[in-house]
Amino acid sequence: MAGTDRDEAGSTADPVIEVRDASVRYGQVRALTAATLSVGPGRICALVGMNGSGKSTLMKVMLGLVRTHPGRVLINGAPPSSARRRGLIAYVPQREDVDWSFPTTVREVVMTGRYAHLGPTRRARTRDHRIVDEALGRVDLTELAGRQIGRLSGGQRKRAFVARAIAQQAEVLLLDEPFAGVDDLSQRTVSRLLRSLADDGATIVIATHDLPALPSLADEAALLAGTVVMHDSVHQVIRPENLARAFGLGE
Ligand SMILES: Nc1ncnc2c1ncn2[C@@H]1O[C@H](COP(=O)(O)OP(=O)(O)OP(=O)(O)O)[C@@H](O)[C@H]1O
Ligand SMILES: [Mg+2]
């Protein structure tokens, strides 16, 4: 059975995220070719590679936001669209497509993470407010909770969207460069937070350019260069001869 195969990163559990032979084109641009990647429960997998190597596209494949042809994508054994509908996947995009002048507070943005859990009335209950407060505290934004989202710095905005993902209490978290523009202290806070979520069973994928932070951030890493070139433990992937394969550096 495919799920019991030991993959390159050494996991034997049934994968939570399974992408097999995914190819994606944007018009004439071939963004991914036959990309295969499985991530097991409670694991943190980093996606690394140069600009344009396909990291964001692979995340969109996992979310079912772009079509793969051919290929297969399963989240907990089901198509990503159904996992998304049930609120099982939280996503922090690389660039938030929001109207920054819209008068929404940080707290309201984080509350949108609770939407899949609210009933048809969309009315937040005490528990939802508590979860939102906790998420704000965990990214150190409690004091800015009432501020309009457009009036935050870039790094604070990133943290607000990480808080929204946390408040969602999803089984799968996909974070596309969550640390871009985030200071070192906040990055360490968020990294610790992600680790504790993984210890509680969440499966996490993070696209990042921060290679030095990888050993403290992730368990395993996938090297991308238009496909998944390599998927192994962080320590294997960051060996210079392996990075050279994806980053085109001289060995
Ligand atoms: N909407 C789009 N239309 C056309 N081409 C696209 C689109 N989005 C991405 N691409 C192309 O697909 C390829 C993969 O892009 P992708 O955004 O997945 O890379 P990435 O690894 O996330 O890069 P970065 O490190 O810059 O975020 C690139 O060649 C990119 O130019
Ligand atoms: Mg990207």
Side-chain angles (χ1 to χ4, degrees), residues 2-206:
T4 52
D5 287 351
R6 180 178 286 272
D7 69 15
E8 297 91 325
S11 169
T12 52
D14 278 350
V16 173
I17 301 170
E18 193 180 358
V19 176
R20 215 171 265 265
D21 271 335
S23 296
V24 176
R25 285 172 160 288
Y26 299 105
Q28 295 302 306
V29 180
R30 198 185 266 275
L32 274 183
T33 305
T36 292
L37 180 68
S38 294
V39 186
R43 304 285 289 175
I44 302 182
C45 178
L47 305 183
V48 297
M50 292 169 70
N51 291 142
S53 59
K55 302 180 294 296
S56 297
T57 302
L58 183 55
M59 277 200 181
K60 289 175 188 167
V61 165
M62 293 171 179
L63 283 153
L65 295 180
V66 293
R67 259 165 38 99
T68 68
H69 184 77
R72 187 171 79 144
V73 190
L74 294 173
I75 304 294
N76 267 337
S81 53
S82 84
R84 250 185 325 135
R85 257 197 316 278
R86 289 185 291 147
L88 297 183
I89 315 181
Y91 174 44
V92 178
Q94 186 168 6
R95 280 171 294 274
E96 280 295 338
D97 192 14
V98 294
D99 176 1
W100 296 110
S101 64
F102 195 75
T104 309
T105 64
V106 175
R107 201 163 197 296
E108 285 163 345
V109 167
V110 178
M111 184 59 85
T112 61
R114 299 298 306 157
Y115 277 6
H117 300 270
L118 306 181
T121 60
R122 292 249 159 137
R123 180 168 301 163
R125 290 168 236 240
T126 312
R127 179 164 183 273
D128 301 301
H129 287 294
R130 183 174 51 73
I131 289 167
V132 166
D133 286 339
E134 271 173 24
L136 284 163
R138 290 178 95 171
V139 301
D140 218 6
L141 282 180
T142 303
E143 283 170 20
L144 299 179
R147 195 179 284 189
Q148 196 235 321
I149 187 81
R151 300 219 180 112
L152 295 187
S153 72
Q156 289 166 341
R157 277 179 202 175
K158 276 275 176 195
R159 279 153 52 198
F161 286 100
V162 170
R164 177 175 71 173
I166 292 162
Q168 194 178 323
Q169 296 183 319
E171 290 173 23
V172 175
L173 275 90
L174 306 179
L175 303 110
D176 198 346
E177 309 211 6
F179 303 123
V182 171
D183 61 66
D184 284 353
L185 182 63
S186 303
Q187 176 163 346
R188 279 199 297 277
T189 306
V190 172
S191 298
R192 273 200 301 273
L193 178 56
L194 295 175
R195 173 60 62 194
S196 79
L197 294 173
D199 287 346
D200 287 342
T203 303
I204 302 176
V205 177
I206 308 171

